[in-house]
Amino acid sequence: MPLPPLREELDLLPGPSLADGQPSWTLHDPVRNLFFRIDWPTLEILQRWDMDSPDQIAADVSSQTTLELMAHDVLQVAQFLQMHQLVKSSAVGTARKMAEQWSNIQGSPIKWLLHHYLFFRIPLVRPDAWLTQWLPLARWFVSKTFLVLSLLAAAAGLSQVVRRWDVFSASLVDTFNLAGLLSYGVAIFVVKLLHELGHAFSAKSYGCRVPTMGVAFLVMWPVAYTDTNETWRLTNRFHRLRVASAGIATELVIAVWATLAWALLPAGSLQSAAFVLATTSWVATLAINASPFMRFDGYFILMDALDMPNLHGRSFALARWQLREWLFGLGRTPPEYFSRTKAMALVAFAWATWIYRLVLFLGIAVLVYHFFIKLVGIFLFLVEIVWFVAKPLASEIAVWREMWPQIRRQARSRKTVMCVVGLCALLVLPWPGRISASAVLRPQESWPVFAPAGARIDGIFFKDGDLVPAGRTLVDLYVPDLIGREKTLQARLDQQRWQAATSAFDDEMRKRWKVAEQNLHTTEAELEGVQAERHQFKPLAPFDGQFFQVDPDLGVGQWVGKKEPLAVLVKQGTVWRVETWLDEDDVGRVQEGHSARFMTDSASGKVLNLTVSAIDRDATRVLPRRELASSLGGHILTREKNGQLLPERAVYRVSMQVQEMPADMQQISWRGQVVIHSQWQSPISRYVRQLIAVLVREFGF
């Protein structure tokens, strides 16, 4: 079979020595500015490419060198060249094959969009000539003098941050507003521009061409990029490492000098600008660019430090091979040979990268769902599940199908199949339902005793736990203002009555009798109102019950505030109930009659048996039990508005009746944990129901 001819414009450049000591070469495609690392066998094959026969090339390499190659090895190189479009398109059959290959890669416009929305680039400028012009000035920023000055600035600036950390953290909180966000946007633009210029000038200093700079979109989020592919020309990997780390180094330098500026400048707009620039640089460098799991600077730094080109692809291939060996024990040759420690590290790195990307992109989808357009968030979520879970799984299963004749003969395969079937059974088969939540135990009938207004305790007539007959006074509260008003009205009433009694002896008073009579009635009504209000400060027991003091430390002579609870009167023979609030996913699994158990948070840890007695069908808008809020140790996420706790999600009240209430627990109320034995449910069905609920809610099916 004739081989397709190589493109004439390709360049062959010397490359660095590989990790195992063998030499390497770099194949350069100047049209697309792409570089491909090749090893010694590939070089020998390419040097004999004009022989036009895989068998002849393999035989000649084997006879002229110490290598032992087969025709299959030559065909693999030919496949590599065709895949990367390094052969002439005019070759017989090559153009058609390349067109088919490209069509398969591109697919439909929808497939292209799904593939590229995660990441695509838009070149904006060709900076090579401009970089050459300003390179002498840029070299000063990598001189030893500037390095020493930057280290001194870092020591001075960071020491001031440590000393004035309260001011620094307060400044961070103050920037969380619209103006602050706009400032951060401008700062990010400036920092990223200088970041990319750091890469560009560093590459230019080693003689590399920088053809384009532009903007890339990561899940539609814009990030700057610089084309530094020509650094693959460099045979010294430490030179490539410096180019890869130049962006992070630039941001660190900006952060250092901006931090020092914040420490030295007086309070004002300049100090605020320095603060925003410093925090943006520190966060962007340490939290984003240093990550090796995306193709950011951290990845290229790690790749050059390990001297492993295409680190992601090679680690992914090794992880897939290792997975097949763990599952089936095929004993196949690994894609590359590494030491056991290095191989396991690469496998762990591959799995960490997959998990990191899945969590990152799903997190972005969740943010879009909650804070922007919900339908777009759902679409992104589904696409990423398909792209990061379903598609790789389908591809791997397709490989397993090809290997099935070998897989079915392995003893480990049968064990794996049994484990998979067992896992699926655990996911599909129903499990006993258990719903745990914080709850409150309280009596159904009770009467709170509190101060209607600020008052002084003049008497508490019962002790904690005493039985109180109906109609007895529970406490006596002294209110100076109320007492003063009562005395004033009583004195006025006495005077008006005297005037009314003596009006018959005075002609002038007789003429004003009607007015005096009206004033008398008004004063009597006011006095009756004050006396009725005064009786509120001497509350009477509305029923026979047991008296419980809220705060045993409260005593006679102490002052209490308005609505401050003093005691609770629990009706004798009342029913005790446990109340909790569940979200719509959990409440749908609970029915009246289901059993439950309640354990108090107290040291006694007593457990009560319960029965679900009532379930609200309407969501609770305001949480009546503050102790169940997450901020106070409960399970309900809430936000405070106008002094009220509003649940973040729709929650429904579930009431449970205590089957047998111990006598030593019949106090005011208890907080604890309730476990409701709900309907049996398979784990997978719950998530399916949640997904359907979201789709119904958002699409209106």
Side-chain angles (χ1 to χ4, degrees):
M1 182 183 68
L3 297 174
L6 294 173
R7 289 166 47 192
E8 296 177 354
E9 66 271 19
L10 298 179
D11 297 328
L12 186 63
L13 308 172
S17 298
L18 300 180
D20 56 1
Q22 66 171 308
S24 71
W25 291 261
T26 301
L27 193 62
H28 178 213
D29 181 359
V31 177
R32 297 175 295 167
N33 198 38
L34 297 179
F35 296 82
F36 305 90
R37 181 75 54 80
I38 61 175
D39 55 9
W40 179 32
T42 304
L43 174 68
E44 295 292 343
I45 293 173
L46 293 178
Q47 289 178 338
R48 297 166 175 79
W49 198 257
D50 55 356
M51 290 184 176
D52 205 29
S53 172
D55 293 320
Q56 292 181 11
I57 294 176
D60 191 73
V61 173
S62 300
S63 63
Q64 298 294 327
T65 67
T66 57
L67 297 171
E68 295 182 2
L69 301 182
M70 305 293 291
H72 175 72
D73 299 318
V74 181
L75 293 176
Q76 283 186 332
V77 175
Q79 184 180 7
F80 165 79
L81 296 173
Q82 290 183 354
M83 181 182 299
H84 296 285
Q85 305 171 28
L86 301 176
V87 296
K88 290 184 178 180
S89 60
S90 59
V92 179
T94 302
R96 180 180 57 81
K97 293 180 181 178
M98 291 180 63
E100 292 177 356
Q101 183 183 36
W102 182 251
S103 177
N104 293 332
I105 294 174
Q106 294 293 93
S108 64
I110 296 178
K111 185 177 180 180
W112 183 93
L113 178 62
L114 294 179
H115 185 272
H116 288 82
Y117 96 96
L118 295 174
F119 186 81
F120 63 93
R121 292 177 172 181
I122 300 177
L124 297 178
V125 296
R126 298 183 179 275
D128 194 71
W130 183 87
L131 294 172
T132 303
Q133 180 181 357
W134 291 96
L135 182 61
L137 177 62
R139 283 197 170 109
W140 183 83
F141 290 98
V142 294
S143 63
K144 292 183 179 180
T145 302
F146 185 75
L147 176 61
V148 172
L149 292 175
S150 297
L151 291 175
L152 295 175
L158 293 177
S159 64
Q160 288 297 314
V161 170
V162 173
R163 292 179 58 187
R164 301 163 57 189
W165 177 250
D166 54 340
V167 180
F168 190 87
S169 58
S171 300
L172 182 62
V173 175
D174 293 339
T175 58
F176 290 154
N177 50 49
L178 181 59
L181 294 177
L182 293 175
S183 301
Y184 277 114
V186 174
I188 289 174
F189 174 80
V190 173
V191 169
K192 291 305 173 183
L193 177 61
L194 296 175
H195 174 106
E196 298 304 322
L197 287 176
H199 286 303
F201 278 117
S202 180
K204 198 65 184 175
S205 66
Y206 290 111
C208 299
R209 186 173 64 93
V210 182
T212 60
M213 295 177 67
V215 61
F217 287 86
L218 178 65
V219 196
M220 307 309 295
W221 182 263
V223 292
Y225 84 93
T226 301
D227 186 354
T228 58
N229 281 338
E230 285 215 3
T231 55
W232 285 104
R233 292 176 174 270
L234 304 176
T235 59
N236 191 328
R237 67 186 179 97
F238 293 103
H239 292 172
R240 297 194 305 273
L241 184 62
R242 290 170 186 169
V243 175
S245 58
I248 290 180
T250 301
E251 289 193 17
L252 287 176
V253 169
I254 296 171
V256 163
W257 287 100
T259 303
L260 181 63
W262 170 84
L264 298 179
L265 290 172
S269 57
L270 289 179
Q271 188 189 52
S272 300
F275 175 83
V276 170
L277 195 61
T279 52
T280 301
S281 302
W282 287 118
V283 173
T285 300
L286 301 178
I288 299 175
N289 290 321
S291 172
F293 304 118
M294 299 293 295
R295 295 182 70 84
F296 295 146
D297 291 352
Y299 168 70
F300 295 104
I301 292 173
L302 181 62
M303 187 173 62
D304 290 326
L306 300 176
D307 195 20
M308 290 190 64
N310 191 23
L311 177 59
H312 279 166
R314 296 165 71 179
S315 63
F316 295 167
L318 187 64
R320 288 191 290 266
W321 170 84
Q322 186 64 69
L323 177 64
R324 297 163 194 162
E325 292 300 312
W326 284 336
L327 294 177
F328 311 120
L330 301 176
R332 291 201 166 195
T333 303
E336 293 184 76
Y337 286 99
F338 300 100
S339 65
R340 181 173 178 81
T341 302
K342 190 172 184 179
M344 289 297 99
L346 290 173
V347 171
F349 175 75
W351 280 100
T353 301
W354 290 333
I355 296 172
Y356 176 88
R357 291 181 177 182
L358 177 63
V359 173
L360 173 65
F361 291 122
L362 288 181
I364 294 175
V366 171
L367 289 176
V368 172
Y369 175 83
H370 285 288
F371 298 103
F372 296 98
I373 305 174
K374 293 186 179 296
L375 293 181
V376 175
I378 294 174
F379 172 76
L380 294 180
F381 185 88
L382 295 177
V383 167
E384 286 151 12
I385 289 293
V386 171
W387 190 263
F388 289 104
V389 179
K391 187 175 181 295
L393 186 60
S395 301
E396 188 63 23
I397 292 176
V399 175
W400 295 355
R401 292 180 60 183
E402 295 179 0
M403 299 179 178
W404 181 246
Q406 183 181 0
I407 292 176
R408 63 187 301 182
R409 295 194 299 267
Q410 305 297 322
R412 187 179 296 182
S413 301
R414 291 188 287 272
K415 296 179 181 179
T416 300
V417 170
M418 294 176 62
C419 292
V420 172
V421 171
L423 179 61
C424 292
L426 292 177
L427 294 175
V428 174
L429 295 177
W431 285 66
R434 293 172 59 91
I435 301 173
S436 297
S438 57
V440 175
L441 171 67
R442 67 182 188 89
Q444 184 174 347
E445 295 182 86
S446 62
W447 193 69
V449 182
F450 55 87
R456 187 187 68 198
I457 301 176
D458 272 5
I460 300 178
F461 302 117
F462 297 93
K463 297 179 180 179
D464 197 58
D466 287 350
L467 295 177
V468 180
R472 293 288 299 276
T473 303
L474 300 174
V475 296
D476 185 15
L477 301 174
Y478 174 75
V479 188
D481 180 65
L482 197 61
I483 299 297
R485 287 170 56 196
E486 184 179 9
K487 291 180 178 179
T488 300
L489 290 172
Q490 186 64 55
R492 186 191 303 172
L493 182 63
D494 293 341
Q495 183 181 8
Q496 290 175 347
R497 286 174 177 173
W498 180 83
Q499 291 176 350
T502 58
S503 62
F505 304 100
D506 191 337
D507 293 338
E508 199 62 35
M509 293 293 296
R510 257 193 318 267
K511 296 179 182 178
R512 301 179 182 176
W513 165 248
K514 292 295 182 185
V515 177
E517 187 180 24
Q518 184 65 38
N519 291 337
L520 179 63
H521 291 324
T522 301
T523 304
E524 290 176 345
E526 290 182 7
L527 182 59
E528 290 177 0
V530 171
Q531 290 175 344
E533 188 176 356
R534 176 70 180 89
H535 284 299
Q536 294 180 6
F537 293 85
K538 294 183 178 181
L540 306 178
F543 45 70
D544 296 340
Q546 195 170 9
F547 183 87
F548 294 103
Q549 200 169 340
V550 174
D551 187 0
D553 294 333
L554 286 177
V556 176
Q558 293 183 321
W559 290 85
V560 293
K562 183 179 180 180
K563 300 296 184 179
E564 183 174 348
L566 304 176
V568 172
L569 187 68
V570 178
K571 189 176 183 179
Q572 285 187 304
T574 186
V575 176
W576 286 78
R577 296 183 180 274
V578 172
E579 289 184 341
T580 188
W581 279 259
L582 304 177
D583 60 26
E584 55 186 350
D585 296 328
D586 290 331
V587 79
R589 300 161 52 195
V590 180
Q591 294 181 359
E592 294 183 10
H594 280 174
S595 62
R597 303 181 72 185
F598 176 81
M599 179 179 290
T600 65
D601 290 340
S602 65
S604 62
K606 291 190 175 182
V607 178
L608 304 179
N609 295 321
L610 315 172
T611 303
V612 177
S613 58
I615 304 172
D616 287 358
R617 299 305 174 189
D618 296 327
T620 300
R621 291 185 173 87
V622 179
L623 184 65
R625 300 294 174 186
R626 303 182 67 89
E627 57 266 44
L628 300 184
S630 58
S631 57
L632 298 176
H635 72 285
I636 304 174
L637 294 175
T638 60
R639 67 180 186 277
E640 190 168 358
K641 184 178 181 181
N642 298 329
Q644 296 179 324
L645 293 179
L646 308 181
E648 292 287 355
R649 300 179 61 184
V651 291
Y652 302 82
R653 181 172 60 182
V654 178
S655 299
M656 293 153 283
Q657 185 172 337
V658 180
Q659 297 179 4
E660 183 178 356
M661 187 65 185
D664 59 345
M665 292 186 63
Q666 296 182 10
Q667 300 181 13
I668 303 171
S669 66
W670 299 81
R671 195 183 79 168
Q673 294 292 318
V674 64
V675 178
I676 304 174
H677 303 287
S678 62
Q679 294 178 338
W680 286 45
Q681 186 181 38
S682 65
I684 195 67
S685 65
R686 181 177 183 181
Y687 296 109
V688 171
R689 286 174 51 192
Q690 292 177 353
L691 176 61
I692 294 174
V694 172
L695 294 177
V696 170
R697 183 172 64 248
E698 301 301 337
F699 291 93
F701 292 158

